[in-house]
Amino acid sequence: QSVLTQPPSVSAAPGQKVTVSCSGSSSNIGNNYVSWYQQLPGTAPKLLIYENNQRPSGIPDRFSGSKSGTSATLGITGLQTGDEADYYCGTWDSRLSVVIFGGGTKLTVL
Amino acid sequence: QLQLQESGPGLVKPSETLSLTCTVSGGSISSSSYFWGWIRQPPGKGVEWIGSIYYSGTTYYNPSLKSRLTMSVDTSKNQFSLKLSSVTAADTAVYYCATVTQVRMGLNWFDPWGQGTLVTVSS
């Protein structure tokens, strides 16, 4: 069981918007920065968001990140079937001295 | 742009040592901008950070693996390596290497990742 809690699955129709939550505590999300990763089936994870809300070059602005208190959220607008993937949040835990990831959320585009 | 490629045995016997190497291309492993990390993913499960290393040899290890873990860097070959001793079936996973941008403790991210290599622990 991960220190960071994500919903196991979310779903929405093509063209719609979906959010993925990542809940932690003051020792991780509350005082550190969050990154988000997309893992398409059979591939390695890929960075989507870093430093809570920054997008690497090449990541479309349909993807956004935010943080409030001890929770972070990934938002995806204009859903496409190609967005079907597992999504992971990650951060540093200052108490455990470890990089931690959420358990992952499977996105289904109906 | 940086590219990373893992290599090593796909099958390791229980109680033996798992050894993997990551070859970095498109840039120097001696860059002051990056750490170099290992992450693993058991079949059908989430990802777990193993550890990170700087070109100078400074390491950060996952406390849950620290007693069995050794990471090293070979700047002459632009490679970094992982050794995990006394493996069990629980160490069966896809192992990824990745570039780690670490601005400071608490502000870091993994990008890019290697394609990953499956290591099975079985007799």
Side-chain angles (χ1 to χ4, degrees), chain A residues 19-96:
Chain A
T19 59
V20 179
S21 61
C22 177
S23 178
S25 68
S26 60
S27 67
N28 43 69
I29 292 178
N31 284 285
N32 294 298
Y33 291 85
V34 178
S35 53
W36 288 92
Y37 303 86
Q38 176 194 58
Q39 186 174 33
L40 296 170
T43 70
K46 172 186 173 182
L47 179 69
L48 279 182
I49 298 289
Y50 66 96
E51 206 171 331
N52 298 335
N53 55 17
Q54 301 298 303
R55 279 179 288 105
S57 61
I59 300 300
D61 59 7
R62 299 190 299 109
F63 295 90
S64 64
S66 64
K67 190 184 97 166
S68 179
T70 58
S71 293
T73 301
L74 173 70
I76 311 173
T77 60
L79 277 172
Q80 302 172 2
T81 56
D83 296 332
E84 288 201 332
D86 293 323
Y87 292 84
Y88 294 91
C89 57
T91 188
W92 175 257
D93 190 293
S94 305
R95 180 176 64 86
L96 300 174

Side-chain angles (χ1 to χ4, degrees), chain B residues 10 72 87 98:
Chain B
S72 59
V87 297

